[in-house]
Amino acid sequence: FFFAFVIRLIALNQSLWLDEAVTANVVMSYGFTEIVSKFSPTDFHPPLYYLFMKLWSNVFGYSEITLRMPSVLLSLMTGYVVYLIGGVWSAIFFLFNPLIVYYSQEARMYMMTTLLLTTALYFFLLIFKKLDSRLPFDGTQGKRGNDMWFGLFISLAFLTFYGSIFLIITMLVYLLFKKQYKFFIVSLSIFIVSLLIVSPLLYKQIINSKVVLTNVANWSLVLGKANIKNLLLIPVKFSIGRISFYPKWLYWGIAGIWTGFVLRTILIRSVLIKRVLFLFIFPLILGFLASFFTPMLQYFRFIYLIPIMSIVLGIGLQSRDDRSKIVIQYVILFGFVVFSLIYLLLPQFHREDWKSLVSNLPKDKPVYMITASSDPVKYYSKNLKIIPLRSDFIGTTEGQEEIVVIPYTSEIYGFDYKNVLSKAGYNLKKEVSFREVTCEQWVK
């Protein structure tokens, strides 16, 4: 836990990227009630994480490190719950998983969701420990109120991230399959209450999301369509993390071999472990099917399944009697640590460098960009004037011999700004890249 905490401090002050900047600007600009009434209807997430971050930032401030520290701490807390369920090695596999390390440094709701769902899993498994003494789980059996705690934590998870519904449904279905009707009814009743509370907001968000999908040309590509590529990326990223490099044949070769090794270790287990593995596979099936109607099949939206993967890995290897299990344990740990350190120590794998981009913007020239994607610029420069980059923007350039364009997300919005500028007599003079984001200088 100490070393897991230490490595999470490496590069923790790297630049916020778009979604993190949204979090920062929300907690800086809105009050508690305004987050629910003004911001959330235009967002695609429930408000609980933002409310928590509003409380946190009111006390500790708004720096990159401060905004990311809750995710650091929540990931460590999740590691402790994984330890309670699966033991030391399960916790190790979780804490040093490269994708978990990456998102434990992100000021978004994914680590909070992972903690809440893993805690719900803890109370969920208590009842099955009582039914099957072979389950390698050191929990308190027969304790009253487990169904209520389970219901509470799945409700909090849903109010933090709607995508948690796939694991919630899976656990509820499993309760029915095992004829645990009392546990099912109590927990479902609590969950329905939370659903009713958030339903007016959810309805508004669904309506607004349909408008966005209609008006923004390529928005569905960002959300993650139901296809084989997005499905295969889930186990790959769960094993290798966020890093990607060229040449692609080398990346896919390394990623494929490593992912195959991890999956093989997971799948060659006892029947008992395969039962637990159902909780990992079924949510992915539900997510894949749901993405035919509402695109959301991106690996980070299922990051709450990595604790289950870690538990299966840890328990499965511990159940082996041969000496090879020790070798496999350390090989997987070594691989996870290496991929984590590649991300942490090499800046080219860090997030979009808006901090450097904004610091290099000219102060005396107008800046054009998609305003819906301007939160990072607003975070790093409160006084910079941003002019919307849209179909009628060329009228605002009259009399300006030189302008600055940040083309970020223009392709998603399907706007060919270069063609518009060229027809107006502008030429691209200079283009500077700051790790996944660019700044362009156009002159007449």
Side-chain angles (χ1 to χ4, degrees), residues 309-351:
M309 184 182 90
S310 304
I311 290 165
V312 173
L313 267 174
I315 291 176
L317 286 171
Q318 285 297 101
S319 66
R320 292 179 60 161
D321 296 326
D322 55 284
R323 292 184 179 181
S324 65
K325 75 174 183 180
I326 299 176
V327 175
I328 296 174
Q329 286 171 339
Y330 282 100
V331 167
I332 293 176
L333 172 59
F334 177 78
F336 281 177
V337 171
V338 166
F339 289 125
S340 295
L341 290 177
I342 288 174
Y343 149 66
L344 292 167
L345 299 177
L346 300 180
Q348 63 263 38
F349 296 118
H350 291 175
R351 292 165 178 81

Side-chain angles (χ1 to χ4, degrees), residues 78 82 94 99-100 109-119 121 157 161-171 238 279-280 282-284 286-287 296 298-311:
T78 307
V82 171
F94 173 81
L99 196 63
I100 290 295
M109 65 285 299
Y110 304 113
M111 277 301 106
M112 186 172 176
T113 305
T114 302
L115 172 62
L116 292 170
L117 285 175
T118 307
T119 307
L121 179 68
F161 178 56
Y162 293 134
S164 60
I165 190 65
F166 301 120
L167 181 55
I168 293 171
I169 290 175
T170 299
M171 291 190 285
F238 278 17
L279 299 174
F280 179 86
F282 196 67
L284 295 177
L286 292 177
M296 59 180 306
Q298 288 186 315
Y299 57 88
F300 61 85
R301 292 197 175 96
F302 297 89
I303 196 171
Y304 53 75
L305 297 178
I306 292 182
I308 299 176
M309 184 182 90
S310 304
I311 290 165

Side-chain angles (χ1 to χ4, degrees), residues 358 360-367 384 402 404 439:
V358 173
N360 283 275
L361 286 175
K363 308 301 179 186
D364 58 341
K365 296 180 179 64
V367 175
L384 188 67
E402 187 173 324
V404 175
C439 177

Side-chain angles (χ1 to χ4, degrees), residues 20-31:
E20 291 182 294
V22 170
T23 299
N25 288 331
V26 166
V27 298
M28 286 192 292
S29 306
Y30 295 92

Side-chain angles (χ1 to χ4, degrees), residues 211-224:
V211 173
V212 171
L213 283 170
T214 302
N215 295 337
V216 181
N218 299 315
W219 187 249
S220 62
L221 299 178
V222 178
L223 298 178

Side-chain angles (χ1 to χ4, degrees), residues 156-206:
L156 292 174
F158 184 73
L159 295 175
T160 303
F161 178 56
Y162 293 134
S164 60
I165 190 65
F166 301 120
L167 181 55
I168 293 171
I169 290 175
T170 299
M171 291 190 285
L172 291 174
V173 167
Y174 198 78
L175 287 173
L176 278 179
F177 178 73
K178 291 295 184 179
K179 301 180 181 179
Q180 299 302 309
Y181 300 124
K182 178 181 177 296
F183 199 110
F184 172 81
I185 292 172
V186 172
S187 54
L188 179 62
S189 299
I190 297 172
F191 178 71
I192 288 175
V193 171
S194 68
L195 183 60
L196 291 174
I197 291 173
V198 79
S199 58
L201 173 62
L202 180 57
Y203 175 76
K204 293 179 182 178
Q205 290 175 323
I206 291 173

